[in-house]
Amino acid sequence: MEVKRRTIRSLVAKLSSVSEHTRSEALCELRLITKHDAESRPIIADAGAIPYLAETLYSVSHAAQDDAAATLLNLSISSRNSLVSTRGLLDAISHALRNHRSGTSAAAVQASAATLHSLLVVDEYRPIVGSKRDIIYSLLDIIKSNNSPPRSIKDALKALFGIALYPLNRSSMIELGAAPALFSLVVKDGRVGIVEDATAVIAQVAGCEESEEAFRKVSGVGLLIDLLDPSTGSSLRTKENAVSALLNMGRCGGERALMEVRDMSVGVVDGIADVAEGGGAKGKSKAIALLKMIDGGNGSIVSLRESRFDCLLNESS
């Protein structure tokens, strides 16, 4: 173990070398070590590598960016606190994401977004990352760009999902244009995985009061309703996300949002019931809750009185 520590300290020291070749070799070696040797990750973090890695994200060299971003991603698996507590780390990640159109390599963009997703596993870090509005803006810009590779979009969506898990971040996301960016993906992108990830984020951001107006401007409720229509061929996960979004909208968007959800959902109660019967535990619970929200508890919607719905409505959500 001591030999390993000495080797790592030597490599980290080389990151500050005036020789670009020496720095590049050290970066490559650290990337490989963090990928294959889990025990070395905290040692590398403790040796002071993170500030150098963060600084390298500003490099004009794509190879250096790639190695630094990948190493940070590997370190985030077991040294999340070291990353978050490093001054300027989030600013460096923001820089890498912000320059996704030119300047930052696609691999570095993807690794940077994935690093955020890894950090956001920790509840306490969600408000910290969410307070960086430039990060949210850059992630949204990635998913809006026609030139973004699919993997960049997926990694950005996963990071946005992690940010949206903290309720107080959702209004900032709405303010920065999350609704049109996300719903545009749902409408224009036919790749199932991306639609599923986009609707997962939509379901979270729907859980704030500001979502009502933002969703209305992009006909969001109508688009979610369409996803529950059997004719659209949406995946079960997409349907579960649509149900969750409608439920959150009805609960958090105000009286007008609640009435819109009730009125428009009547036409797809069969699709909601499909989720209640065939979805996962969470999906089933939310679908039953949405059915009860639509029904209003007073039996006013005749179609819900059929035996299929009567059984579901009597279940506990």
Side-chain angles (χ1 to χ4, degrees):
M1 181 63 75
E2 185 55 38
V3 173
K4 183 182 292 187
R5 291 181 186 276
R6 286 200 301 269
T7 299
I8 288 172
R9 284 197 294 267
S10 175
L11 288 171
V12 172
K14 290 179 181 179
L15 294 179
S16 60
S17 171
V18 295
S19 167
E20 182 177 350
H21 179 70
T22 299
R23 294 196 305 272
S24 296
E25 285 190 335
L27 272 172
C28 289
E29 188 66 24
L30 287 169
R31 177 178 182 173
L32 289 173
I33 292 173
T34 56
K35 180 179 180 179
H36 298 293
D37 186 359
E39 287 186 351
S40 292
R41 293 170 189 154
I43 300 174
I44 291 171
D46 292 342
I50 297 173
Y52 292 112
L53 296 170
E55 183 180 348
T56 305
L57 292 181
Y58 293 95
S59 171
V60 295
S61 166
H62 281 189
Q65 293 171 8
D66 293 350
D67 286 336
T71 304
L72 287 169
L73 174 57
N74 294 336
L75 291 176
S76 73
I77 298 171
S78 54
S79 300
R80 294 186 178 96
N81 184 65
S82 297
L83 265 69
V84 173
S85 61
T86 297
R87 183 176 181 181
L89 184 278
L90 291 178
D91 292 333
I93 289 177
S94 175
H95 172 84
L97 297 174
R98 185 167 60 251
N99 290 280
H100 70 95
R101 295 176 185 268
S102 63
T104 305
S105 70
V109 169
Q110 292 155 12
S112 295
T115 297
L116 288 177
H117 179 247
S118 178
L119 296 177
L120 289 160
V121 169
V122 181
D123 293 356
E124 290 79 3
Y125 298 158
R126 291 170 187 164
I128 296 173
V129 175
S131 69
K132 300 286 187 179
R133 291 169 62 88
D134 50 338
I135 286 180
I136 298 174
Y137 179 86
S138 297
L139 291 170
L140 291 173
D141 194 54
I142 290 170
I143 70 172
K144 287 191 295 185
S145 174
N146 293 328
N147 296 322
S148 291
R151 183 177 170 184
S152 295
I153 294 174
K154 286 185 68 68
D155 285 328
L157 285 169
K158 289 177 180 178
L160 287 167
F161 178 81
I163 292 171
L165 287 175
Y166 183 64
L168 296 183
N169 288 338
R170 296 167 189 166
S171 59
S172 294
M173 295 176 69
I174 289 292
E175 184 181 340
L176 291 170
L182 292 165
F183 278 108
S184 179
L185 270 184
V186 172
V187 172
K188 297 178 181 179
D189 200 306
R191 291 165 288 196
V192 174
I194 288 180
V195 173
E196 289 178 343
D197 290 343
T199 51
V201 183
I202 289 171
Q204 293 300 318
V205 297
C208 69
E209 186 177 352
E210 293 81 0
S211 66
E212 189 274 331
E213 182 179 358
F215 280 34
R216 179 170 48 80
K217 288 180 178 178
V218 295
S219 303
V221 172
L223 291 171
L224 293 169
I225 294 297
D226 288 343
L227 294 174
L228 290 167
D229 190 318
S231 65
T232 61
S234 300
S235 70
L236 178 58
R237 184 182 167 214
T238 294
K239 290 180 179 179
E240 288 180 329
N241 292 335
V243 164
S244 180
L246 290 169
L247 182 63
N248 284 339
M249 172 73 79
R251 286 174 171 174
C252 305
E255 186 63 28
R256 183 166 65 170
L258 174 59
M259 294 306 299
E260 183 179 12
V261 169
R262 279 180 172 169
D263 292 345
M264 296 188 69
S265 297
V266 172
V268 289
V269 287
D270 283 306
I272 300 170
D274 288 341
V275 175
E277 294 172 337
K282 288 185 178 179
K284 177 177 180 178
S285 175
K286 291 179 180 180
I288 292 172
L290 181 58
L291 285 172
K292 290 180 178 180
M293 177 183 289
I294 298 167
D295 183 55
N298 55 20
S300 59
I301 303 175
V302 176
S303 63
L304 291 181
R305 298 296 92 200
E306 298 173 8
S307 58
R308 179 191 191 192
F309 301 112
D310 200 44
C311 177
L312 290 171
L313 287 167
N314 287 328
E315 288 193 39
S316 173
S317 59

